[in-house]
Amino acid sequence: VSTQSTGQCANTLKDWWLSRWSHQTVQHQSVLYWMGIYVSLSAGYVVLVLARSLLLANGGIKASKLLHNNLCNNLIRAPLTFFESNPTGRILNRFSRDFQSVDENLSITTDQLFHWIVVACASVIVVSVSSFYSLIVYA
């Protein structure tokens, strides 16, 4: 959540800087000054997105390992009648389907959930800061 929030702040700051640069009427600083800060903010945003992706991939791997260990422990402790009534192929299919679901969907869905929560909060904050009277309307 913290990398998502920080990334959204960096993205908003980058957009704000571009807006400030484009609304400048008199050239007090050179183009290199404005571009240097914009490129620095963009690079910071890219680093934060990369960190978020690595953390989510690591979390997905940990979740998959935890699921595997729990399933193996439960399977080892299963009574013999379970193995007599369920063929080996069905048990293996269940393992693969569960891991495929966790590996493919869990980290992506979690990332999207946190992303849209942070974007919604950031939108409310930006609108509130830019137009204080909008808070009165929503309150």
Side-chain angles (χ1 to χ4, degrees), residues 40-60:
S40 300
L41 291 172
S42 297
Y45 176 67
V46 167
V47 167
L48 289 170
V49 168
L50 181 63
R52 183 185 78 210
S53 298
L54 290 173
L55 286 172
L56 280 169
N58 190 25

Side-chain angles (χ1 to χ4, degrees), residues 23-64:
H23 285 97
Q24 178 190 8
T25 56
V26 180
Q27 290 283 344
H28 293 291
Q29 287 91 5
S30 69
V31 173
L32 291 176
Y33 167 77
W34 293 97
M35 179 140 341
I37 292 177
Y38 182 73
V39 167
S40 300
L41 291 172
S42 297
Y45 176 67
V46 167
V47 167
L48 289 170
V49 168
L50 181 63
R52 183 185 78 210
S53 298
L54 290 173
L55 286 172
L56 280 169
N58 190 25
I61 290 170
K62 285 183 181 181
S64 184

Side-chain angles (χ1 to χ4, degrees), residues 4 61 72 83:
Q4 192 81 324
I61 290 170
C72 280
F83 294 103

Side-chain angles (χ1 to χ4, degrees), residues 3-14:
T3 56
Q4 192 81 324
S5 301
T6 310
Q8 185 62 37
C9 287
N11 191 27
T12 303
L13 184 62
K14 177 181 66 78

Side-chain angles (χ1 to χ4, degrees), residues 10-132:
N11 191 27
T12 303
L13 184 62
K14 177 181 66 78
D15 292 342
W16 172 80
W17 185 259
L18 187 61
S19 170
R20 187 170 171 205
W21 182 13
S22 66
H23 285 97
Q24 178 190 8
T25 56
V26 180
Q27 290 283 344
H28 293 291
Q29 287 91 5
S30 69
V31 173
L32 291 176
Y33 167 77
W34 293 97
M35 179 140 341
I37 292 177
Y38 182 73
V39 167
S40 300
L41 291 172
S42 297
Y45 176 67
V46 167
V47 167
L48 289 170
V49 168
L50 181 63
R52 183 185 78 210
S53 298
L54 290 173
L55 286 172
L56 280 169
N58 190 25
I61 290 170
K62 285 183 181 181
S64 184
K65 283 182 181 180
L66 182 66
L67 178 65
H68 178 267
N69 291 339
N70 287 340
L71 281 175
C72 280
N73 287 336
N74 289 337
L75 192 61
I76 290 171
R77 290 186 178 93
L80 191 55
T81 57
F82 173 77
F83 294 103
E84 290 173 351
S85 62
N86 291 310
T88 309
R90 185 180 302 162
I91 296 170
L92 288 175
N93 277 341
R94 181 64 186 207
F95 262 78
S96 4
R97 190 171 359 135
D98 288 347
F99 290 126
Q100 179 184 7
S101 174
V102 168
D103 291 342
E104 290 180 357
N105 299 331
L106 186 65
S107 61
I108 294 170
T109 305
T110 305
D111 179 42
Q112 289 176 350
L113 172 71
F114 288 143
H115 173 74
W116 290 115
I117 288 172
V118 169
V119 165
C121 292
S123 298
V124 169
I125 290 170
V126 167
V127 167
S128 300
V129 168
S130 64
S131 176
F132 178 73

